[in-house]
Amino acid sequence: MKNKLNIIPFESKHTKSFHDLNIAWLEKYFCVENHDREVLENPQTYIIDNGGYIFMIEYQNEIIGTVALINEVEGFELSKMAIEPKYQGLKFGQQLMTYCINFAKNNGWKELFLYSNRSLKNAIYIYKKVGFIEAPLIDSPYSRGDIKMILDLKSHKKSERD
């Protein structure tokens, strides 16, 4: 049975959920950097007002996940993806990533990029599975970022769920 969820655009009422989901993820795997706090406490200013997007997953009338597409000088960064721990493993993150890829294609973007950490083997596997490839890491905005990956949207094949 396919899990029913709604992916909805960010509204100011989602600020606490966006913050809390991401802080919980960061505290579990790494540490929260000052820049993380600034962005997560002010997503309207740092992401939306800067031409970016945030999407939330609504499932059974609760917000259980989030992702941001941050408008950077070099393009859009897939970032701030977090799923409520009790819902991890149900492929909600993959559905959210597919949504973002389709959103980017529909907006005519050439690529998406992300920063991650090699210790997150499952995440790296999923990124590669959808077509992200490793790119030279010149300068990561995060101390935890030790890998940069890029998805070429022009050559990306649509998934069966698109």
PDB file of all heavy atoms in Angstrom, residues 6-37:
ATOM      1  N   ASN A   6       0.839  14.461   1.823  1.00  0.00           N
ATOM      2  CA  ASN A   6       0.701  15.697   1.064  1.00  0.00           C
ATOM      3  C   ASN A   6       1.995  16.473   1.202  1.00  0.00           C
ATOM      4  O   ASN A   6       2.496  16.651   2.319  1.00  0.00           O
ATOM      5  CB  ASN A   6      -0.453  16.554   1.603  1.00  0.00           C
ATOM      6  CG  ASN A   6      -1.799  15.933   1.327  1.00  0.00           C
ATOM      7  OD1 ASN A   6      -2.045  15.452   0.231  1.00  0.00           O
ATOM      8  ND2 ASN A   6      -2.663  15.952   2.327  1.00  0.00           N
ATOM      9  N   ILE A   7       2.523  16.920   0.093  1.00  0.00           N
ATOM     10  CA  ILE A   7       3.676  17.808   0.110  1.00  0.00           C
ATOM     11  C   ILE A   7       3.133  19.201  -0.168  1.00  0.00           C
ATOM     12  O   ILE A   7       2.497  19.435  -1.197  1.00  0.00           O
ATOM     13  CB  ILE A   7       4.734  17.376  -0.913  1.00  0.00           C
ATOM     14  CG1 ILE A   7       5.239  15.978  -0.537  1.00  0.00           C
ATOM     15  CG2 ILE A   7       5.877  18.392  -0.960  1.00  0.00           C
ATOM     16  CD1 ILE A   7       6.180  15.354  -1.536  1.00  0.00           C
ATOM     17  N   ILE A   8       3.340  20.083   0.788  1.00  0.00           N
ATOM     18  CA  ILE A   8       2.731  21.408   0.733  1.00  0.00           C
ATOM     19  C   ILE A   8       3.803  22.496   0.834  1.00  0.00           C
ATOM     20  O   ILE A   8       4.860  22.279   1.427  1.00  0.00           O
ATOM     21  CB  ILE A   8       1.676  21.585   1.851  1.00  0.00           C
ATOM     22  CG1 ILE A   8       2.305  21.365   3.231  1.00  0.00           C
ATOM     23  CG2 ILE A   8       0.503  20.640   1.631  1.00  0.00           C
ATOM     24  CD1 ILE A   8       1.380  21.644   4.398  1.00  0.00           C
ATOM     25  N   PRO A   9       3.522  23.670   0.267  1.00  0.00           N
ATOM     26  CA  PRO A   9       4.477  24.781   0.393  1.00  0.00           C
ATOM     27  C   PRO A   9       4.532  25.292   1.830  1.00  0.00           C
ATOM     28  O   PRO A   9       3.544  25.251   2.563  1.00  0.00           O
ATOM     29  CB  PRO A   9       3.919  25.861  -0.532  1.00  0.00           C
ATOM     30  CG  PRO A   9       2.775  25.272  -1.262  1.00  0.00           C
ATOM     31  CD  PRO A   9       2.380  24.008  -0.565  1.00  0.00           C
ATOM     32  N   PHE A  10       5.683  25.789   2.197  1.00  0.00           N
ATOM     33  CA  PHE A  10       5.918  26.378   3.510  1.00  0.00           C
ATOM     34  C   PHE A  10       5.033  27.600   3.724  1.00  0.00           C
ATOM     35  O   PHE A  10       4.847  28.411   2.822  1.00  0.00           O
ATOM     36  CB  PHE A  10       7.393  26.785   3.596  1.00  0.00           C
ATOM     37  CG  PHE A  10       7.770  27.508   4.853  1.00  0.00           C
ATOM     38  CD1 PHE A  10       8.094  26.805   5.990  1.00  0.00           C
ATOM     39  CD2 PHE A  10       7.811  28.888   4.884  1.00  0.00           C
ATOM     40  CE1 PHE A  10       8.455  27.471   7.157  1.00  0.00           C
ATOM     41  CE2 PHE A  10       8.172  29.571   6.036  1.00  0.00           C
ATOM     42  CZ  PHE A  10       8.492  28.856   7.171  1.00  0.00           C
ATOM     43  N   GLU A  11       4.511  27.702   4.923  1.00  0.00           N
ATOM     44  CA  GLU A  11       3.808  28.900   5.392  1.00  0.00           C
ATOM     45  C   GLU A  11       4.425  29.277   6.728  1.00  0.00           C
ATOM     46  O   GLU A  11       5.040  28.429   7.388  1.00  0.00           O
ATOM     47  CB  GLU A  11       2.314  28.627   5.576  1.00  0.00           C
ATOM     48  CG  GLU A  11       1.584  28.286   4.289  1.00  0.00           C
ATOM     49  CD  GLU A  11       0.105  27.975   4.547  1.00  0.00           C
ATOM     50  OE1 GLU A  11      -0.478  28.566   5.480  1.00  0.00           O
ATOM     51  OE2 GLU A  11      -0.443  27.144   3.822  1.00  0.00           O
ATOM     52  N   SER A  12       4.256  30.507   7.135  1.00  0.00           N
ATOM     53  CA  SER A  12       4.880  30.956   8.389  1.00  0.00           C
ATOM     54  C   SER A  12       4.490  30.075   9.580  1.00  0.00           C
ATOM     55  O   SER A  12       5.287  29.891  10.499  1.00  0.00           O
ATOM     56  CB  SER A  12       4.551  32.422   8.666  1.00  0.00           C
ATOM     57  OG  SER A  12       3.157  32.599   8.782  1.00  0.00           O
ATOM     58  N   LYS A  13       3.304  29.482   9.540  1.00  0.00           N
ATOM     59  CA  LYS A  13       2.876  28.612  10.650  1.00  0.00           C
ATOM     60  C   LYS A  13       3.733  27.349  10.742  1.00  0.00           C
ATOM     61  O   LYS A  13       3.680  26.636  11.750  1.00  0.00           O
ATOM     62  CB  LYS A  13       1.401  28.252  10.515  1.00  0.00           C
ATOM     63  CG  LYS A  13       1.088  27.344   9.332  1.00  0.00           C
ATOM     64  CD  LYS A  13      -0.397  27.055   9.233  1.00  0.00           C
ATOM     65  CE  LYS A  13      -0.718  26.156   8.048  1.00  0.00           C
ATOM     66  NZ  LYS A  13      -2.148  25.918   7.914  1.00  0.00           N
ATOM     67  N   HIS A  14       4.531  27.060   9.717  1.00  0.00           N
ATOM     68  CA  HIS A  14       5.393  25.869   9.712  1.00  0.00           C
ATOM     69  C   HIS A  14       6.791  26.140  10.262  1.00  0.00           C
ATOM     70  O   HIS A  14       7.614  25.233  10.333  1.00  0.00           O
ATOM     71  CB  HIS A  14       5.526  25.315   8.292  1.00  0.00           C
ATOM     72  CG  HIS A  14       4.243  24.895   7.687  1.00  0.00           C
ATOM     73  ND1 HIS A  14       3.851  25.308   6.436  1.00  0.00           N
ATOM     74  CD2 HIS A  14       3.244  24.100   8.154  1.00  0.00           C
ATOM     75  CE1 HIS A  14       2.671  24.782   6.151  1.00  0.00           C
ATOM     76  NE2 HIS A  14       2.281  24.063   7.188  1.00  0.00           N
ATOM     77  N   THR A  15       7.066  27.385  10.646  1.00  0.00           N
ATOM     78  CA  THR A  15       8.418  27.757  11.074  1.00  0.00           C
ATOM     79  C   THR A  15       8.926  26.872  12.203  1.00  0.00           C
ATOM     80  O   THR A  15      10.056  26.381  12.160  1.00  0.00           O
ATOM     81  CB  THR A  15       8.472  29.248  11.482  1.00  0.00           C
ATOM     82  OG1 THR A  15       8.086  30.040  10.354  1.00  0.00           O
ATOM     83  CG2 THR A  15       9.872  29.649  11.925  1.00  0.00           C
ATOM     84  N   LYS A  16       8.118  26.622  13.211  1.00  0.00           N
ATOM     85  CA  LYS A  16       8.553  25.796  14.346  1.00  0.00           C
ATOM     86  C   LYS A  16       8.826  24.359  13.909  1.00  0.00           C
ATOM     87  O   LYS A  16       9.838  23.771  14.303  1.00  0.00           O
ATOM     88  CB  LYS A  16       7.523  25.837  15.473  1.00  0.00           C
ATOM     89  CG  LYS A  16       7.952  25.033  16.700  1.00  0.00           C
ATOM     90  CD  LYS A  16       6.990  25.212  17.846  1.00  0.00           C
ATOM     91  CE  LYS A  16       7.272  24.391  19.085  1.00  0.00           C
ATOM     92  NZ  LYS A  16       8.504  23.697  19.214  1.00  0.00           N
ATOM     93  N   SER A  17       7.971  23.792  13.082  1.00  0.00           N
ATOM     94  CA  SER A  17       8.182  22.419  12.603  1.00  0.00           C
ATOM     95  C   SER A  17       9.453  22.335  11.767  1.00  0.00           C
ATOM     96  O   SER A  17      10.245  21.391  11.913  1.00  0.00           O
ATOM     97  CB  SER A  17       6.992  21.943  11.766  1.00  0.00           C
ATOM     98  OG  SER A  17       5.833  21.849  12.554  1.00  0.00           O
ATOM     99  N   PHE A  18       9.663  23.309  10.874  1.00  0.00           N
ATOM    100  CA  PHE A  18      10.868  23.344  10.050  1.00  0.00           C
ATOM    101  C   PHE A  18      12.108  23.368  10.941  1.00  0.00           C
ATOM    102  O   PHE A  18      13.053  22.603  10.756  1.00  0.00           O
ATOM    103  CB  PHE A  18      10.828  24.573   9.128  1.00  0.00           C
ATOM    104  CG  PHE A  18      12.036  24.736   8.263  1.00  0.00           C
ATOM    105  CD1 PHE A  18      12.234  23.905   7.172  1.00  0.00           C
ATOM    106  CD2 PHE A  18      12.966  25.733   8.531  1.00  0.00           C
ATOM    107  CE1 PHE A  18      13.357  24.064   6.357  1.00  0.00           C
ATOM    108  CE2 PHE A  18      14.080  25.900   7.721  1.00  0.00           C
ATOM    109  CZ  PHE A  18      14.270  25.054   6.643  1.00  0.00           C
ATOM    110  N   HIS A  19      12.093  24.232  11.925  1.00  0.00           N
ATOM    111  CA  HIS A  19      13.196  24.365  12.873  1.00  0.00           C
ATOM    112  C   HIS A  19      13.405  23.073  13.658  1.00  0.00           C
ATOM    113  O   HIS A  19      14.504  22.513  13.692  1.00  0.00           O
ATOM    114  CB  HIS A  19      12.894  25.532  13.829  1.00  0.00           C
ATOM    115  CG  HIS A  19      13.879  25.681  14.936  1.00  0.00           C
ATOM    116  ND1 HIS A  19      13.755  24.995  16.125  1.00  0.00           N
ATOM    117  CD2 HIS A  19      15.007  26.437  15.034  1.00  0.00           C
ATOM    118  CE1 HIS A  19      14.766  25.310  16.923  1.00  0.00           C
ATOM    119  NE2 HIS A  19      15.532  26.184  16.282  1.00  0.00           N
ATOM    120  N   ASP A  20      12.359  22.586  14.295  1.00  0.00           N
ATOM    121  CA  ASP A  20      12.482  21.444  15.200  1.00  0.00           C
ATOM    122  C   ASP A  20      12.903  20.158  14.478  1.00  0.00           C
ATOM    123  O   ASP A  20      13.728  19.400  14.997  1.00  0.00           O
ATOM    124  CB  ASP A  20      11.171  21.210  15.956  1.00  0.00           C
ATOM    125  CG  ASP A  20      10.850  22.342  16.927  1.00  0.00           C
ATOM    126  OD1 ASP A  20      11.706  23.233  17.139  1.00  0.00           O
ATOM    127  OD2 ASP A  20       9.724  22.343  17.466  1.00  0.00           O
ATOM    128  N   LEU A  21      12.349  19.902  13.303  1.00  0.00           N
ATOM    129  CA  LEU A  21      12.730  18.707  12.541  1.00  0.00           C
ATOM    130  C   LEU A  21      14.211  18.736  12.186  1.00  0.00           C
ATOM    131  O   LEU A  21      14.920  17.734  12.320  1.00  0.00           O
ATOM    132  CB  LEU A  21      11.887  18.581  11.267  1.00  0.00           C
ATOM    133  CG  LEU A  21      10.449  18.127  11.460  1.00  0.00           C
ATOM    134  CD1 LEU A  21       9.609  18.454  10.223  1.00  0.00           C
ATOM    135  CD2 LEU A  21      10.388  16.636  11.766  1.00  0.00           C
ATOM    136  N   ASN A  22      14.691  19.881  11.742  1.00  0.00           N
ATOM    137  CA  ASN A  22      16.091  19.991  11.350  1.00  0.00           C
ATOM    138  C   ASN A  22      17.044  19.983  12.534  1.00  0.00           C
ATOM    139  O   ASN A  22      18.103  19.354  12.474  1.00  0.00           O
ATOM    140  CB  ASN A  22      16.308  21.244  10.488  1.00  0.00           C
ATOM    141  CG  ASN A  22      15.934  20.994   9.050  1.00  0.00           C
ATOM    142  OD1 ASN A  22      16.664  20.327   8.331  1.00  0.00           O
ATOM    143  ND2 ASN A  22      14.795  21.505   8.635  1.00  0.00           N
ATOM    144  N   ILE A  23      16.686  20.657  13.605  1.00  0.00           N
ATOM    145  CA  ILE A  23      17.537  20.654  14.803  1.00  0.00           C
ATOM    146  C   ILE A  23      17.666  19.227  15.347  1.00  0.00           C
ATOM    147  O   ILE A  23      18.765  18.781  15.694  1.00  0.00           O
ATOM    148  CB  ILE A  23      16.994  21.611  15.893  1.00  0.00           C
ATOM    149  CG1 ILE A  23      17.119  23.070  15.438  1.00  0.00           C
ATOM    150  CG2 ILE A  23      17.685  21.374  17.228  1.00  0.00           C
ATOM    151  CD1 ILE A  23      18.534  23.618  15.325  1.00  0.00           C
ATOM    152  N   ALA A  24      16.567  18.498  15.390  1.00  0.00           N
ATOM    153  CA  ALA A  24      16.611  17.105  15.887  1.00  0.00           C
ATOM    154  C   ALA A  24      17.545  16.261  15.030  1.00  0.00           C
ATOM    155  O   ALA A  24      18.340  15.469  15.557  1.00  0.00           O
ATOM    156  CB  ALA A  24      15.200  16.517  15.900  1.00  0.00           C
ATOM    157  N   TRP A  25      17.481  16.423  13.704  1.00  0.00           N
ATOM    158  CA  TRP A  25      18.345  15.662  12.810  1.00  0.00           C
ATOM    159  C   TRP A  25      19.813  16.041  13.035  1.00  0.00           C
ATOM    160  O   TRP A  25      20.675  15.173  13.159  1.00  0.00           O
ATOM    161  CB  TRP A  25      17.940  15.902  11.347  1.00  0.00           C
ATOM    162  CG  TRP A  25      18.736  15.072  10.406  1.00  0.00           C
ATOM    163  CD1 TRP A  25      18.456  13.817   9.970  1.00  0.00           C
ATOM    164  CD2 TRP A  25      19.977  15.443   9.777  1.00  0.00           C
ATOM    165  NE1 TRP A  25      19.444  13.376   9.119  1.00  0.00           N
ATOM    166  CE2 TRP A  25      20.385  14.354   8.981  1.00  0.00           C
ATOM    167  CE3 TRP A  25      20.775  16.574   9.814  1.00  0.00           C
ATOM    168  CZ2 TRP A  25      21.559  14.372   8.235  1.00  0.00           C
ATOM    169  CZ3 TRP A  25      21.943  16.593   9.073  1.00  0.00           C
ATOM    170  CH2 TRP A  25      22.317  15.500   8.293  1.00  0.00           C
ATOM    171  N   LEU A  26      20.089  17.345  13.090  1.00  0.00           N
ATOM    172  CA  LEU A  26      21.464  17.799  13.291  1.00  0.00           C
ATOM    173  C   LEU A  26      22.037  17.307  14.612  1.00  0.00           C
ATOM    174  O   LEU A  26      23.184  16.860  14.672  1.00  0.00           O
ATOM    175  CB  LEU A  26      21.535  19.333  13.229  1.00  0.00           C
ATOM    176  CG  LEU A  26      21.399  19.944  11.844  1.00  0.00           C
ATOM    177  CD1 LEU A  26      21.138  21.443  11.946  1.00  0.00           C
ATOM    178  CD2 LEU A  26      22.624  19.651  10.996  1.00  0.00           C
ATOM    179  N   GLU A  27      21.246  17.382  15.664  1.00  0.00           N
ATOM    180  CA  GLU A  27      21.729  16.944  16.978  1.00  0.00           C
ATOM    181  C   GLU A  27      21.965  15.437  17.022  1.00  0.00           C
ATOM    182  O   GLU A  27      22.842  14.966  17.738  1.00  0.00           O
ATOM    183  CB  GLU A  27      20.753  17.368  18.071  1.00  0.00           C
ATOM    184  CG  GLU A  27      20.792  18.870  18.316  1.00  0.00           C
ATOM    185  CD  GLU A  27      19.772  19.349  19.335  1.00  0.00           C
ATOM    186  OE1 GLU A  27      18.787  18.618  19.623  1.00  0.00           O
ATOM    187  OE2 GLU A  27      19.951  20.477  19.844  1.00  0.00           O
ATOM    188  N   LYS A  28      21.217  14.691  16.241  1.00  0.00           N
ATOM    189  CA  LYS A  28      21.384  13.230  16.208  1.00  0.00           C
ATOM    190  C   LYS A  28      22.685  12.836  15.516  1.00  0.00           C
ATOM    191  O   LYS A  28      23.385  11.932  15.968  1.00  0.00           O
ATOM    192  CB  LYS A  28      20.197  12.579  15.494  1.00  0.00           C
ATOM    193  CG  LYS A  28      20.300  11.073  15.402  1.00  0.00           C
ATOM    194  CD  LYS A  28      19.074  10.466  14.751  1.00  0.00           C
ATOM    195  CE  LYS A  28      19.220   8.945  14.640  1.00  0.00           C
ATOM    196  NZ  LYS A  28      18.042   8.330  14.033  1.00  0.00           N
ATOM    197  N   TYR A  29      23.017  13.503  14.416  1.00  0.00           N
ATOM    198  CA  TYR A  29      24.154  13.076  13.598  1.00  0.00           C
ATOM    199  C   TYR A  29      25.401  13.954  13.724  1.00  0.00           C
ATOM    200  O   TYR A  29      26.513  13.479  13.524  1.00  0.00           O
ATOM    201  CB  TYR A  29      23.747  13.015  12.121  1.00  0.00           C
ATOM    202  CG  TYR A  29      22.736  11.943  11.845  1.00  0.00           C
ATOM    203  CD1 TYR A  29      21.395  12.253  11.671  1.00  0.00           C
ATOM    204  CD2 TYR A  29      23.109  10.601  11.778  1.00  0.00           C
ATOM    205  CE1 TYR A  29      20.454  11.264  11.420  1.00  0.00           C
ATOM    206  CE2 TYR A  29      22.184   9.605  11.535  1.00  0.00           C
ATOM    207  CZ  TYR A  29      20.851   9.948  11.358  1.00  0.00           C
ATOM    208  OH  TYR A  29      19.929   8.962  11.115  1.00  0.00           O
ATOM    209  N   PHE A  30      25.235  15.231  14.010  1.00  0.00           N
ATOM    210  CA  PHE A  30      26.364  16.153  14.015  1.00  0.00           C
ATOM    211  C   PHE A  30      26.214  17.131  15.169  1.00  0.00           C
ATOM    212  O   PHE A  30      25.878  16.734  16.261  1.00  0.00           O
ATOM    213  CB  PHE A  30      26.444  16.907  12.668  1.00  0.00           C
ATOM    214  CG  PHE A  30      26.591  15.974  11.495  1.00  0.00           C
ATOM    215  CD1 PHE A  30      25.507  15.667  10.695  1.00  0.00           C
ATOM    216  CD2 PHE A  30      27.808  15.375  11.210  1.00  0.00           C
ATOM    217  CE1 PHE A  30      25.638  14.788   9.628  1.00  0.00           C
ATOM    218  CE2 PHE A  30      27.949  14.488  10.143  1.00  0.00           C
ATOM    219  CZ  PHE A  30      26.854  14.201   9.350  1.00  0.00           C
ATOM    220  N   CYS A  31      26.465  18.388  14.897  1.00  0.00           N
ATOM    221  CA  CYS A  31      26.195  19.436  15.876  1.00  0.00           C
ATOM    222  C   CYS A  31      25.548  20.593  15.118  1.00  0.00           C
ATOM    223  O   CYS A  31      25.655  20.697  13.906  1.00  0.00           O
ATOM    224  CB  CYS A  31      27.474  19.881  16.583  1.00  0.00           C
ATOM    225  SG  CYS A  31      28.645  20.708  15.525  1.00  0.00           S
ATOM    226  N   VAL A  32      24.876  21.430  15.841  1.00  0.00           N
ATOM    227  CA  VAL A  32      24.185  22.562  15.238  1.00  0.00           C
ATOM    228  C   VAL A  32      25.163  23.728  15.167  1.00  0.00           C
ATOM    229  O   VAL A  32      25.692  24.162  16.179  1.00  0.00           O
ATOM    230  CB  VAL A  32      22.936  22.955  16.052  1.00  0.00           C
ATOM    231  CG1 VAL A  32      22.214  24.113  15.401  1.00  0.00           C
ATOM    232  CG2 VAL A  32      22.008  21.756  16.210  1.00  0.00           C
ATOM    233  N   GLU A  33      25.419  24.184  13.934  1.00  0.00           N
ATOM    234  CA  GLU A  33      26.337  25.302  13.732  1.00  0.00           C
ATOM    235  C   GLU A  33      25.558  26.617  13.822  1.00  0.00           C
ATOM    236  O   GLU A  33      24.334  26.636  13.665  1.00  0.00           O
ATOM    237  CB  GLU A  33      27.009  25.170  12.365  1.00  0.00           C
ATOM    238  CG  GLU A  33      27.830  23.888  12.235  1.00  0.00           C
ATOM    239  CD  GLU A  33      28.414  23.676  10.850  1.00  0.00           C
ATOM    240  OE1 GLU A  33      28.659  24.676  10.128  1.00  0.00           O
ATOM    241  OE2 GLU A  33      28.642  22.510  10.480  1.00  0.00           O
ATOM    242  N   ASN A  34      26.270  27.706  14.065  1.00  0.00           N
ATOM    243  CA  ASN A  34      25.618  29.014  14.183  1.00  0.00           C
ATOM    244  C   ASN A  34      24.809  29.357  12.939  1.00  0.00           C
ATOM    245  O   ASN A  34      23.695  29.872  13.041  1.00  0.00           O
ATOM    246  CB  ASN A  34      26.653  30.109  14.464  1.00  0.00           C
ATOM    247  CG  ASN A  34      27.175  30.043  15.880  1.00  0.00           C
ATOM    248  OD1 ASN A  34      26.504  29.539  16.779  1.00  0.00           O
ATOM    249  ND2 ASN A  34      28.384  30.536  16.085  1.00  0.00           N
ATOM    250  N   HIS A  35      25.372  29.063  11.762  1.00  0.00           N
ATOM    251  CA  HIS A  35      24.651  29.358  10.517  1.00  0.00           C
ATOM    252  C   HIS A  35      23.358  28.544  10.434  1.00  0.00           C
ATOM    253  O   HIS A  35      22.339  29.032   9.941  1.00  0.00           O
ATOM    254  CB  HIS A  35      25.544  29.101   9.302  1.00  0.00           C
ATOM    255  CG  HIS A  35      24.876  29.429   8.002  1.00  0.00           C
ATOM    256  ND1 HIS A  35      24.494  30.716   7.666  1.00  0.00           N
ATOM    257  CD2 HIS A  35      24.475  28.651   6.975  1.00  0.00           C
ATOM    258  CE1 HIS A  35      23.914  30.703   6.481  1.00  0.00           C
ATOM    259  NE2 HIS A  35      23.882  29.464   6.042  1.00  0.00           N
ATOM    260  N   ASP A  36      23.403  27.285  10.914  1.00  0.00           N
ATOM    261  CA  ASP A  36      22.183  26.463  10.945  1.00  0.00           C
ATOM    262  C   ASP A  36      21.100  27.161  11.742  1.00  0.00           C
ATOM    263  O   ASP A  36      19.956  27.266  11.304  1.00  0.00           O
ATOM    264  CB  ASP A  36      22.456  25.094  11.599  1.00  0.00           C
ATOM    265  CG  ASP A  36      23.353  24.199  10.788  1.00  0.00           C
ATOM    266  OD1 ASP A  36      23.181  24.126   9.562  1.00  0.00           O
ATOM    267  OD2 ASP A  36      24.227  23.541  11.397  1.00  0.00           O
ATOM    268  N   ARG A  37      21.456  27.621  12.928  1.00  0.00           N
ATOM    269  CA  ARG A  37      20.474  28.280  13.804  1.00  0.00           C
ATOM    270  C   ARG A  37      19.862  29.515  13.132  1.00  0.00           C
ATOM    271  O   ARG A  37      18.658  29.716  13.170  1.00  0.00           O
ATOM    272  CB  ARG A  37      21.108  28.685  15.129  1.00  0.00           C
ATOM    273  CG  ARG A  37      21.373  27.519  16.037  1.00  0.00           C
ATOM    274  CD  ARG A  37      21.722  27.981  17.450  1.00  0.00           C
ATOM    275  NE  ARG A  37      22.359  26.926  18.191  1.00  0.00           N
ATOM    276  CZ  ARG A  37      21.746  25.852  18.681  1.00  0.00           C
ATOM    277  NH1 ARG A  37      20.454  25.714  18.487  1.00  0.00           N
ATOM    278  NH2 ARG A  37      22.399  24.934  19.348  1.00  0.00           N
TER     279      ARG A  37
END
